[in-house]
Amino acid sequence: MNIIVTDRPEQAFKKAADIIACEIHHNPRPVLGLATGRTMESVYRLLVERYETAMLDFSTTTSFNLDEYVGLLPTDKNSYRHYMQKHLFAHVNMPVAQIHVPNGTATDLDAECAEYEANIQGAGGIGLQILGIGNTGHIGFNEPPSPFDSRTRVVHLDDITRRQNSGMFGNDPSRVPERALTMGVGTILEARKLVLVATGAGKASIVDAALNGPINENVSATAIRLHPDSTVILDDAAASIWKGNRRQGS
Ligand code: F6R
């Protein structure tokens, strides 16, 4: 695992954007796994800037988002499909037929999950998967405990996550959907490259658990340490506890 620590969050976002741009440049048919959340907003802004200055062409890129809330229409302003439209898809030339976000309003959610997995396989698998990390240690919405061989499925969101994500729901955690569809940890581990980005002091403790703690299914992000090509990009604040513990040799 490669760990990059930057002085400032902007440098961490730029590193992530550089890696994504490189993946797009160097593949005739890139397949990206995408995440949502506050961390990714800055990364997508940088990618849009590069598209606008003709440095990046998304026309051959296929994307698969990690997750979606159950019950929210793609047009709902709190859905992840809407988030992606607002922050990336509306501004770049990725053909709509190449965009995949789980459908949280499918009548048969299990069938939707199975089809999502099949579509990833059909695209040749994910080349580069971008990840954030939640306060429960989740990647995607793989709340504790999530088996490392789990696949795309319906999950119940942890109360900690519903609090974390309540900002978009009038700061009322009870308005955050109780369930979501998410790629599984096993699905994520099959991507050829993983890049996890975390910034800010609020992430320092869970980053330490992910990087220094025992590898186990109660902190899904520890799974990335099992991947042969994973990179973690942190700013100084998010790295602070991990660095301290590492110095003590624990
Ligand atoms: C969202 C996702 C989540 C977020 C994580 C961090 O698609 O997969 O795992 O990446 O909750 O969210 P932020 O960036 O808002 O702290």
Short mmCIF file of all heavy atoms in Angstrom, two decimals, residues 37-88:
data_model
loop_
_atom_site.label_atom_id
_atom_site.label_comp_id
_atom_site.label_asym_id
_atom_site.label_seq_id
_atom_site.Cartn_x
_atom_site.Cartn_y
_atom_site.Cartn_z
N GLY A 37 -19.85 12.18 -1.89
CA GLY A 37 -19.48 12.73 -0.58
C GLY A 37 -18.72 14.03 -0.73
O GLY A 37 -18.32 14.42 -1.83
N ARG A 38 -18.49 14.67 0.42
CA ARG A 38 -17.86 15.99 0.39
C ARG A 38 -16.43 15.93 -0.14
O ARG A 38 -15.98 16.80 -0.87
CB ARG A 38 -17.86 16.60 1.80
CG ARG A 38 -19.11 17.44 2.04
CD ARG A 38 -19.31 17.67 3.50
NE ARG A 38 -19.51 16.38 4.17
CZ ARG A 38 -19.76 16.23 5.47
NH1 ARG A 38 -19.82 17.29 6.24
NH2 ARG A 38 -19.94 15.05 6.01
N THR A 39 -15.70 14.88 0.22
CA THR A 39 -14.31 14.76 -0.22
C THR A 39 -14.21 14.80 -1.74
O THR A 39 -13.34 15.48 -2.30
CB THR A 39 -13.72 13.42 0.28
OG1 THR A 39 -14.03 13.28 1.68
CG2 THR A 39 -12.24 13.33 0.07
N MET A 40 -15.12 14.10 -2.38
CA MET A 40 -15.03 13.95 -3.84
C MET A 40 -15.44 15.21 -4.60
O MET A 40 -15.06 15.38 -5.75
CB MET A 40 -15.88 12.78 -4.31
CG MET A 40 -15.40 11.45 -3.80
SD MET A 40 -13.66 11.17 -4.23
CE MET A 40 -13.15 10.19 -2.83
N GLU A 41 -16.19 16.09 -3.93
CA GLU A 41 -16.62 17.31 -4.65
C GLU A 41 -15.41 18.06 -5.20
O GLU A 41 -15.42 18.52 -6.33
CB GLU A 41 -17.42 18.22 -3.71
CG GLU A 41 -18.79 17.65 -3.38
CD GLU A 41 -19.58 18.52 -2.42
OE1 GLU A 41 -19.25 19.72 -2.26
OE2 GLU A 41 -20.54 17.98 -1.83
N SER A 42 -14.36 18.17 -4.37
CA SER A 42 -13.18 18.92 -4.81
C SER A 42 -12.44 18.18 -5.92
O SER A 42 -11.89 18.80 -6.84
CB SER A 42 -12.23 19.14 -3.64
OG SER A 42 -12.90 19.77 -2.60
N VAL A 43 -12.41 16.85 -5.82
CA VAL A 43 -11.73 16.05 -6.86
C VAL A 43 -12.47 16.23 -8.19
O VAL A 43 -11.86 16.46 -9.24
CB VAL A 43 -11.68 14.56 -6.45
CG1 VAL A 43 -11.06 13.73 -7.55
CG2 VAL A 43 -10.91 14.39 -5.13
N TYR A 44 -13.79 16.17 -8.16
CA TYR A 44 -14.56 16.30 -9.40
C TYR A 44 -14.42 17.72 -9.97
O TYR A 44 -14.36 17.89 -11.19
CB TYR A 44 -16.03 15.93 -9.17
CG TYR A 44 -16.22 14.47 -8.81
CD1 TYR A 44 -17.22 14.05 -7.93
CD2 TYR A 44 -15.37 13.49 -9.33
CE1 TYR A 44 -17.37 12.70 -7.59
CE2 TYR A 44 -15.51 12.14 -8.99
CZ TYR A 44 -16.50 11.76 -8.13
OH TYR A 44 -16.63 10.43 -7.79
N ARG A 45 -14.33 18.72 -9.08
CA ARG A 45 -14.16 20.09 -9.58
C ARG A 45 -12.86 20.18 -10.40
O ARG A 45 -12.82 20.78 -11.47
CB ARG A 45 -14.15 21.08 -8.42
CG ARG A 45 -14.37 22.52 -8.85
CD ARG A 45 -14.47 23.49 -7.70
NE ARG A 45 -13.34 23.37 -6.80
CZ ARG A 45 -13.43 22.96 -5.53
NH1 ARG A 45 -14.58 22.65 -5.01
NH2 ARG A 45 -12.34 22.88 -4.79
N LEU A 46 -11.82 19.55 -9.91
CA LEU A 46 -10.53 19.57 -10.63
C LEU A 46 -10.64 18.82 -11.96
O LEU A 46 -10.07 19.25 -12.98
CB LEU A 46 -9.43 18.95 -9.77
CG LEU A 46 -9.06 19.75 -8.52
CD1 LEU A 46 -8.13 18.93 -7.63
CD2 LEU A 46 -8.38 21.07 -8.91
N LEU A 47 -11.38 17.71 -11.97
CA LEU A 47 -11.53 16.96 -13.23
C LEU A 47 -12.33 17.78 -14.25
O LEU A 47 -12.01 17.79 -15.45
CB LEU A 47 -12.24 15.62 -12.97
CG LEU A 47 -11.45 14.59 -12.16
CD1 LEU A 47 -12.29 13.33 -11.94
CD2 LEU A 47 -10.12 14.22 -12.84
N VAL A 48 -13.36 18.48 -13.77
CA VAL A 48 -14.16 19.31 -14.67
C VAL A 48 -13.28 20.43 -15.26
O VAL A 48 -13.31 20.70 -16.47
CB VAL A 48 -15.40 19.89 -13.94
CG1 VAL A 48 -16.08 20.96 -14.79
CG2 VAL A 48 -16.37 18.77 -13.58
N GLU A 49 -12.44 21.03 -14.41
CA GLU A 49 -11.52 22.08 -14.89
C GLU A 49 -10.63 21.54 -16.00
O GLU A 49 -10.38 22.19 -17.01
CB GLU A 49 -10.62 22.56 -13.74
CG GLU A 49 -11.23 23.67 -12.93
CD GLU A 49 -10.38 23.97 -11.70
OE1 GLU A 49 -9.13 23.79 -11.73
OE2 GLU A 49 -10.98 24.37 -10.70
N ARG A 50 -10.15 20.32 -15.80
CA ARG A 50 -9.25 19.73 -16.82
C ARG A 50 -10.02 19.43 -18.11
O ARG A 50 -9.48 19.60 -19.20
CB ARG A 50 -8.58 18.47 -16.28
CG ARG A 50 -7.57 18.81 -15.22
CD ARG A 50 -6.96 17.59 -14.61
NE ARG A 50 -6.34 17.96 -13.35
CZ ARG A 50 -5.35 17.31 -12.77
NH1 ARG A 50 -4.85 16.25 -13.37
NH2 ARG A 50 -4.85 17.70 -11.63
N TYR A 51 -11.25 19.00 -17.97
CA TYR A 51 -12.07 18.77 -19.17
C TYR A 51 -12.26 20.10 -19.91
O TYR A 51 -12.10 20.17 -21.14
CB TYR A 51 -13.43 18.17 -18.78
CG TYR A 51 -14.40 18.17 -19.93
CD1 TYR A 51 -14.24 17.28 -20.99
CD2 TYR A 51 -15.43 19.10 -20.00
CE1 TYR A 51 -15.08 17.29 -22.08
CE2 TYR A 51 -16.29 19.12 -21.09
CZ TYR A 51 -16.11 18.23 -22.12
OH TYR A 51 -16.94 18.25 -23.20
N GLU A 52 -12.57 21.15 -19.14
CA GLU A 52 -12.86 22.45 -19.77
C GLU A 52 -11.63 23.04 -20.45
O GLU A 52 -11.75 23.80 -21.39
CB GLU A 52 -13.42 23.42 -18.71
CG GLU A 52 -14.86 23.07 -18.35
CD GLU A 52 -15.40 23.85 -17.17
OE1 GLU A 52 -14.60 24.50 -16.46
OE2 GLU A 52 -16.63 23.79 -16.97
N THR A 53 -10.45 22.70 -19.96
CA THR A 53 -9.24 23.21 -20.61
C THR A 53 -8.69 22.19 -21.61
O THR A 53 -7.52 22.25 -21.98
CB THR A 53 -8.18 23.55 -19.55
OG1 THR A 53 -8.00 22.40 -18.71
CG2 THR A 53 -8.56 24.74 -18.72
N ALA A 54 -9.56 21.25 -22.00
CA ALA A 54 -9.23 20.27 -23.04
C ALA A 54 -8.09 19.35 -22.66
O ALA A 54 -7.41 18.78 -23.52
CB ALA A 54 -8.95 20.97 -24.37
N MET A 55 -7.85 19.22 -21.35
CA MET A 55 -6.77 18.32 -20.93
C MET A 55 -7.30 16.90 -20.69
O MET A 55 -6.52 15.97 -20.46
CB MET A 55 -6.13 18.82 -19.63
CG MET A 55 -5.29 20.07 -19.83
SD MET A 55 -5.02 20.91 -18.28
CE MET A 55 -4.04 19.73 -17.39
N LEU A 56 -8.61 16.75 -20.70
CA LEU A 56 -9.18 15.45 -20.37
C LEU A 56 -10.42 15.20 -21.20
O LEU A 56 -11.27 16.09 -21.35
CB LEU A 56 -9.55 15.48 -18.88
CG LEU A 56 -9.57 14.18 -18.09
CD1 LEU A 56 -8.30 13.37 -18.30
CD2 LEU A 56 -9.75 14.50 -16.60
N ASP A 57 -10.49 13.98 -21.75
CA ASP A 57 -11.62 13.60 -22.60
C ASP A 57 -12.27 12.37 -21.98
O ASP A 57 -11.61 11.35 -21.78
CB ASP A 57 -11.07 13.28 -24.00
CG ASP A 57 -12.11 12.68 -24.92
OD1 ASP A 57 -13.32 12.77 -24.61
OD2 ASP A 57 -11.71 12.10 -25.96
N PHE A 58 -13.54 12.47 -21.62
CA PHE A 58 -14.24 11.36 -20.96
C PHE A 58 -15.04 10.51 -21.94
O PHE A 58 -15.81 9.65 -21.52
CB PHE A 58 -15.22 11.92 -19.90
CG PHE A 58 -14.54 12.48 -18.67
CD1 PHE A 58 -14.04 13.78 -18.67
CD2 PHE A 58 -14.43 11.73 -17.52
CE1 PHE A 58 -13.42 14.31 -17.54
CE2 PHE A 58 -13.83 12.24 -16.38
CZ PHE A 58 -13.32 13.54 -16.39
N SER A 59 -14.87 10.74 -23.25
CA SER A 59 -15.80 10.12 -24.20
C SER A 59 -15.71 8.59 -24.22
O SER A 59 -16.67 7.92 -24.55
CB SER A 59 -15.58 10.69 -25.61
OG SER A 59 -14.28 10.39 -26.04
N THR A 60 -14.54 8.05 -23.85
CA THR A 60 -14.43 6.59 -23.87
C THR A 60 -14.50 5.99 -22.45
O THR A 60 -14.31 4.79 -22.27
CB THR A 60 -13.09 6.15 -24.52
OG1 THR A 60 -12.03 6.68 -23.73
CG2 THR A 60 -12.97 6.64 -25.95
N THR A 61 -14.75 6.85 -21.46
CA THR A 61 -14.76 6.38 -20.06
C THR A 61 -16.13 5.81 -19.70
O THR A 61 -17.17 6.37 -20.04
CB THR A 61 -14.41 7.55 -19.11
OG1 THR A 61 -13.09 8.00 -19.39
CG2 THR A 61 -14.50 7.13 -17.65
N THR A 62 -16.08 4.69 -18.98
CA THR A 62 -17.29 4.09 -18.39
C THR A 62 -17.16 4.26 -16.88
O THR A 62 -16.06 4.18 -16.34
CB THR A 62 -17.35 2.60 -18.76
OG1 THR A 62 -17.53 2.50 -20.17
CG2 THR A 62 -18.51 1.89 -18.06
N SER A 63 -18.27 4.52 -16.21
CA SER A 63 -18.19 4.68 -14.75
C SER A 63 -19.25 3.86 -14.03
O SER A 63 -20.35 3.64 -14.54
CB SER A 63 -18.33 6.16 -14.37
OG SER A 63 -19.65 6.59 -14.57
N PHE A 64 -18.87 3.42 -12.84
CA PHE A 64 -19.77 2.71 -11.94
C PHE A 64 -19.68 3.38 -10.57
O PHE A 64 -18.58 3.38 -9.97
CB PHE A 64 -19.38 1.24 -11.81
CG PHE A 64 -19.65 0.44 -13.05
CD1 PHE A 64 -18.68 0.33 -14.03
CD2 PHE A 64 -20.88 -0.16 -13.25
CE1 PHE A 64 -18.92 -0.39 -15.20
CE2 PHE A 64 -21.13 -0.88 -14.41
CZ PHE A 64 -20.16 -0.99 -15.39
N ASN A 65 -20.77 3.94 -10.10
CA ASN A 65 -20.74 4.50 -8.74
C ASN A 65 -20.85 3.42 -7.69
O ASN A 65 -21.43 2.36 -7.92
CB ASN A 65 -21.85 5.55 -8.57
CG ASN A 65 -21.33 6.93 -8.85
OD1 ASN A 65 -21.21 7.33 -9.99
ND2 ASN A 65 -20.96 7.65 -7.80
N LEU A 66 -20.29 3.72 -6.54
CA LEU A 66 -20.27 2.74 -5.45
C LEU A 66 -21.64 2.44 -4.87
O LEU A 66 -21.92 1.31 -4.50
CB LEU A 66 -19.42 3.29 -4.30
CG LEU A 66 -17.91 3.21 -4.43
CD1 LEU A 66 -17.26 4.12 -3.39
CD2 LEU A 66 -17.44 1.78 -4.23
N ASP A 67 -22.49 3.49 -4.77
CA ASP A 67 -23.67 3.29 -3.93
C ASP A 67 -24.79 4.28 -4.24
O ASP A 67 -24.59 5.26 -4.97
CB ASP A 67 -23.27 3.36 -2.44
CG ASP A 67 -22.26 4.47 -2.13
OD1 ASP A 67 -22.18 5.43 -2.91
OD2 ASP A 67 -21.55 4.35 -1.13
N GLU A 68 -25.94 3.97 -3.70
CA GLU A 68 -27.12 4.84 -3.84
C GLU A 68 -28.09 4.55 -2.70
O GLU A 68 -28.18 3.41 -2.22
CB GLU A 68 -27.80 4.59 -5.19
CG GLU A 68 -29.05 5.40 -5.48
CD GLU A 68 -28.85 6.91 -5.48
OE1 GLU A 68 -28.72 7.48 -4.38
OE2 GLU A 68 -28.85 7.53 -6.57
N TYR A 69 -28.80 5.57 -2.27
CA TYR A 69 -29.83 5.39 -1.24
C TYR A 69 -31.03 4.63 -1.82
O TYR A 69 -31.43 4.88 -2.97
CB TYR A 69 -30.34 6.74 -0.75
CG TYR A 69 -29.34 7.53 0.05
CD1 TYR A 69 -28.84 8.74 -0.43
CD2 TYR A 69 -28.92 7.09 1.30
CE1 TYR A 69 -27.94 9.49 0.31
CE2 TYR A 69 -28.01 7.84 2.05
CZ TYR A 69 -27.53 9.03 1.55
OH TYR A 69 -26.64 9.78 2.29
N VAL A 70 -31.59 3.75 -1.01
CA VAL A 70 -32.83 3.08 -1.42
C VAL A 70 -33.99 4.07 -1.29
O VAL A 70 -34.11 4.78 -0.28
CB VAL A 70 -33.09 1.82 -0.55
CG1 VAL A 70 -34.52 1.31 -0.73
CG2 VAL A 70 -32.10 0.73 -0.88
N GLY A 71 -34.80 4.13 -2.34
CA GLY A 71 -36.04 4.91 -2.30
C GLY A 71 -35.93 6.31 -2.88
O GLY A 71 -36.94 6.98 -3.01
N LEU A 72 -34.72 6.76 -3.23
CA LEU A 72 -34.59 8.09 -3.80
C LEU A 72 -34.51 8.00 -5.33
O LEU A 72 -33.68 7.26 -5.86
CB LEU A 72 -33.36 8.82 -3.27
CG LEU A 72 -33.29 9.10 -1.76
CD1 LEU A 72 -32.17 10.08 -1.46
CD2 LEU A 72 -34.60 9.63 -1.22
N LEU A 73 -35.36 8.77 -5.99
CA LEU A 73 -35.33 8.81 -7.45
C LEU A 73 -34.03 9.48 -7.91
O LEU A 73 -33.48 10.32 -7.19
CB LEU A 73 -36.51 9.63 -7.96
CG LEU A 73 -37.88 8.96 -7.86
CD1 LEU A 73 -38.99 10.00 -8.06
CD2 LEU A 73 -37.99 7.83 -8.88
N PRO A 74 -33.58 9.13 -9.12
CA PRO A 74 -32.35 9.78 -9.64
C PRO A 74 -32.46 11.31 -9.67
O PRO A 74 -31.45 12.01 -9.60
CB PRO A 74 -32.24 9.21 -11.06
CG PRO A 74 -33.03 7.95 -11.04
CD PRO A 74 -34.11 8.12 -10.02
N THR A 75 -33.68 11.81 -9.77
CA THR A 75 -33.89 13.27 -9.82
C THR A 75 -33.95 13.91 -8.43
O THR A 75 -33.92 15.13 -8.30
CB THR A 75 -35.21 13.57 -10.55
OG1 THR A 75 -36.22 12.72 -9.98
CG2 THR A 75 -35.10 13.32 -12.03
N ASP A 76 -34.05 13.09 -7.40
CA ASP A 76 -34.11 13.63 -6.03
C ASP A 76 -32.79 14.34 -5.73
O ASP A 76 -31.72 13.77 -5.95
CB ASP A 76 -34.34 12.47 -5.05
CG ASP A 76 -34.63 12.95 -3.64
OD1 ASP A 76 -33.78 13.70 -3.07
OD2 ASP A 76 -35.67 12.57 -3.10
N LYS A 77 -32.85 15.54 -5.18
CA LYS A 77 -31.60 16.29 -5.00
C LYS A 77 -30.66 15.64 -3.98
O LYS A 77 -29.49 15.96 -3.92
CB LYS A 77 -31.88 17.75 -4.65
CG LYS A 77 -32.46 17.99 -3.29
CD LYS A 77 -32.55 19.49 -3.05
CE LYS A 77 -33.17 19.88 -1.72
NZ LYS A 77 -33.02 19.00 -0.59
N ASN A 78 -31.16 14.71 -3.19
CA ASN A 78 -30.31 14.01 -2.24
C ASN A 78 -29.79 12.67 -2.75
O ASN A 78 -29.05 11.98 -2.03
CB ASN A 78 -31.06 13.78 -0.92
CG ASN A 78 -31.30 15.08 -0.20
OD1 ASN A 78 -30.46 15.97 -0.25
ND2 ASN A 78 -32.43 15.21 0.45
N SER A 79 -30.21 12.29 -3.97
CA SER A 79 -29.73 11.00 -4.48
C SER A 79 -28.29 11.16 -4.96
O SER A 79 -27.84 12.25 -5.31
CB SER A 79 -30.62 10.51 -5.63
OG SER A 79 -30.37 11.28 -6.79
N TYR A 80 -27.58 10.04 -4.97
CA TYR A 80 -26.20 10.09 -5.45
C TYR A 80 -26.15 10.25 -6.97
O TYR A 80 -25.17 10.78 -7.50
CB TYR A 80 -25.45 8.85 -4.97
CG TYR A 80 -25.06 8.93 -3.50
CD1 TYR A 80 -24.60 7.83 -2.82
CD2 TYR A 80 -25.13 10.14 -2.81
CE1 TYR A 80 -24.21 7.91 -1.48
CE2 TYR A 80 -24.76 10.24 -1.48
CZ TYR A 80 -24.30 9.12 -0.82
OH TYR A 80 -23.91 9.21 0.49
N ARG A 81 -27.21 9.79 -7.65
CA ARG A 81 -27.26 10.02 -9.10
C ARG A 81 -27.29 11.52 -9.37
O ARG A 81 -26.60 12.03 -10.25
CB ARG A 81 -28.48 9.32 -9.71
CG ARG A 81 -28.59 9.51 -11.22
CD ARG A 81 -27.41 8.82 -11.91
NE ARG A 81 -27.43 8.91 -13.36
CZ ARG A 81 -27.06 9.98 -14.06
NH1 ARG A 81 -26.63 11.08 -13.44
NH2 ARG A 81 -27.07 9.96 -15.38
N HIS A 82 -28.08 12.24 -8.57
CA HIS A 82 -28.18 13.70 -8.72
C HIS A 82 -26.85 14.37 -8.35
O HIS A 82 -26.39 15.29 -9.04
CB HIS A 82 -29.33 14.23 -7.85
CG HIS A 82 -29.57 15.69 -8.03
ND1 HIS A 82 -28.93 16.66 -7.26
CD2 HIS A 82 -30.35 16.36 -8.90
CE1 HIS A 82 -29.32 17.85 -7.66
NE2 HIS A 82 -30.17 17.71 -8.65
N TYR A 83 -26.26 13.91 -7.28
CA TYR A 83 -24.94 14.43 -6.87
C TYR A 83 -23.95 14.33 -8.03
O TYR A 83 -23.22 15.27 -8.35
CB TYR A 83 -24.45 13.63 -5.66
CG TYR A 83 -22.99 13.85 -5.28
CD1 TYR A 83 -22.63 14.60 -4.16
CD2 TYR A 83 -21.95 13.28 -6.04
CE1 TYR A 83 -21.29 14.77 -3.81
CE2 TYR A 83 -20.62 13.46 -5.71
CZ TYR A 83 -20.30 14.20 -4.59
OH TYR A 83 -18.97 14.38 -4.26
N MET A 84 -23.91 13.14 -8.66
CA MET A 84 -22.94 12.93 -9.73
C MET A 84 -23.21 13.83 -10.92
O MET A 84 -22.28 14.34 -11.57
CB MET A 84 -22.93 11.46 -10.17
CG MET A 84 -22.34 10.50 -9.17
SD MET A 84 -20.66 10.91 -8.59
CE MET A 84 -19.73 10.93 -10.13
N GLN A 85 -24.51 14.01 -11.23
CA GLN A 85 -24.89 14.90 -12.32
C GLN A 85 -24.38 16.31 -12.05
O GLN A 85 -23.79 16.94 -12.91
CB GLN A 85 -26.44 14.88 -12.45
CG GLN A 85 -26.95 15.36 -13.78
CD GLN A 85 -26.52 14.48 -14.94
OE1 GLN A 85 -26.20 13.30 -14.76
NE2 GLN A 85 -26.45 15.07 -16.11
N LYS A 86 -24.65 16.75 -10.79
CA LYS A 86 -24.31 18.12 -10.41
C LYS A 86 -22.79 18.35 -10.40
O LYS A 86 -22.31 19.39 -10.85
CB LYS A 86 -24.89 18.37 -9.01
CG LYS A 86 -24.61 19.71 -8.42
CD LYS A 86 -25.38 19.88 -7.11
CE LYS A 86 -24.83 21.06 -6.34
NZ LYS A 86 -25.37 21.11 -4.99
N HIS A 87 -22.05 17.39 -9.88
CA HIS A 87 -20.61 17.63 -9.66
C HIS A 87 -19.72 17.18 -10.82
O HIS A 87 -18.60 17.65 -10.94
CB HIS A 87 -20.15 16.99 -8.36
CG HIS A 87 -20.75 17.63 -7.15
ND1 HIS A 87 -20.40 18.89 -6.72
CD2 HIS A 87 -21.74 17.21 -6.32
CE1 HIS A 87 -21.10 19.21 -5.65
NE2 HIS A 87 -21.94 18.21 -5.39
N LEU A 88 -20.22 16.23 -11.65
CA LEU A 88 -19.33 15.74 -12.72
C LEU A 88 -20.06 15.55 -14.05
O LEU A 88 -19.70 16.19 -15.05
CB LEU A 88 -18.68 14.41 -12.29
CG LEU A 88 -17.66 13.84 -13.27
CD1 LEU A 88 -16.42 14.74 -13.35
CD2 LEU A 88 -17.22 12.42 -12.87
#
